[in-house]
Amino acid sequence: MRRSGAAPYSAPMHTLRSQVLHAHPDAVAALHRLEPRHGWKLARFGFLWAVGVGLQQLHPWLMPVGVALAAVGLLGNAILIHESAHGLFGSPRLNRLLGFVCGAPVLVSPTCFRLKHLHHHQHVGTDRDTTCLVANARKLGVPLPLVLLWVLGFGTLFVLPSLALGGWRLANPTQRRAIAREALGIVVLHGLFFTLVGPGVWLFAWLVPFVVASVAHNLRSVAEHTLTPREEPDRNGRTTVERGFVAWLHSNAGYHWEHHVFPGVPWYHLPALHR
């Protein structure tokens, strides 16, 4: 079973992919194979979040550890929405369901994310790429260093509305109905959670971990394309090699250049693709 890739490639990227495919056809084909057992990794992140929330209730001194674990759970779970956009499993219906499980805790519609992310793959490094910080700085007339500082600290305040509005604009009528259902589901779930646990538990079980996870995610995501050669499609992505726990938490998202060359390769095969 294979998963979805992206839109048509530029000439330099097409040449690069062709060269790799010609040199290693069997290896590249093997790296595209889905192994559904890896998709259930998201349950581990849910468990970490639950343990973190539980520790917060045991003793005030355990609060920092509990918040940290809850943030790890939210961040790791949220990163997997990227995999659901390309395909965690062979079933589109299961991908949508698990995309919602990954996206709902961080207020992201999986349909919006998928539409925006594949659009990013198609236009990466150009002014049509709405995730490009250089392009956004030019449009706003703001110096790039200020944009970088804003994104590092408060990028989520920009990313969430951008995902929602951008995904809605790219969607067809059927996709817009899916977005509306997902948005309603997110509102209902968060409303129920807030009502059941109360504002005190909600603050440290979700809001504070969400802010911590957001800043950590902003730091990692800025490294993917910022200050790379925008005019060279085969060089405008960046790999940041991560090890151990960080690589596990980020689901190998540091291999971002490789991901853009072969977006159909799932996260658990990216280290082999890198090699």
Side-chain angles (χ1 to χ4, degrees):
M1 182 66 69
R2 298 169 68 89
R3 70 181 197 162
S4 59
Y9 294 91
S10 64
M13 187 66 83
H14 180 75
T15 300
L16 175 63
R17 294 182 78 250
S18 297
Q19 290 171 343
V20 177
L21 284 168
H22 179 74
H24 308 281
D26 295 335
V28 173
L31 294 177
H32 279 79
R33 293 193 185 113
L34 281 175
E35 298 176 12
R37 62 187 176 86
H38 290 283
W40 299 107
K41 177 183 180 180
L42 62 91
R44 300 178 185 178
F45 292 125
F47 175 75
L48 285 176
W49 175 82
V51 170
V53 175
L55 289 176
Q56 294 171 20
Q57 312 308 312
L58 291 178
H59 197 282
W61 286 4
L62 294 175
M63 183 66 73
V65 178
V67 169
L69 283 177
V72 166
L74 284 179
L75 177 58
N77 187 73
I79 287 175
L80 283 176
I81 194 176
H82 170 266
E83 292 300 304
S84 75
H86 289 284
L88 273 167
F89 297 94
S91 164
R93 181 174 297 180
L94 189 55
N95 280 321
R96 288 194 296 270
L97 174 61
L98 293 179
F100 181 79
V101 172
C102 295
V106 290
L107 309 178
V108 172
S109 154
T111 300
C112 282
F113 181 88
R114 185 175 188 277
L115 291 170
K116 284 279 288 180
H117 183 67
L118 297 185
H119 185 267
H120 159 69
H121 271 273
Q122 183 179 4
H123 301 291
V124 61
T126 71
D127 286 344
R128 294 186 65 185
D129 181 7
T130 56
T131 68
C132 178
L133 297 184
V134 175
N136 285 320
R138 289 178 179 175
K139 292 175 184 177
L140 297 172
V142 178
L144 181 60
L146 291 180
V147 174
L148 280 172
L149 288 174
W150 169 262
V151 169
L152 286 172
F154 308 100
T156 304
L157 299 178
F158 168 77
V159 170
L160 291 180
S162 175
L163 277 175
L165 295 175
W168 183 264
R169 290 170 182 159
L170 292 170
N172 59 36
T174 300
Q175 292 165 333
R176 287 186 174 184
R177 287 192 290 271
I179 292 171
R181 289 193 298 268
E182 291 161 2
L184 178 61
I186 290 170
V187 170
V188 170
L189 286 175
H190 279 267
L192 286 174
F193 181 68
F194 182 87
T195 302
L196 290 173
V197 303
V201 174
W202 173 84
L203 177 66
F204 292 101
W206 183 78
L207 184 59
V208 175
F210 175 75
V211 172
V212 173
S214 295
V215 174
H217 180 265
N218 296 339
L219 179 63
R220 186 200 62 77
S221 61
V222 162
E224 293 174 350
H225 296 286
T226 306
L227 302 180
T228 57
R230 298 181 72 230
E231 298 78 14
E232 302 178 45
D234 55 339
R235 295 183 61 219
N236 60 16
R238 178 184 291 112
T239 282
T240 307
V241 177
E242 302 166 333
R243 306 290 185 191
F245 172 76
V246 175
W248 177 80
L249 172 63
H250 290 161
S251 294
N252 294 324
Y255 294 109
H256 200 69
W257 182 81
E258 291 82 356
H259 170 64
H260 271 270
V261 180
F262 289 102
V265 173
W267 67 269
Y268 38 86
H269 291 321
L270 286 176
L273 178 62
H274 173 76
R275 291 191 296 269

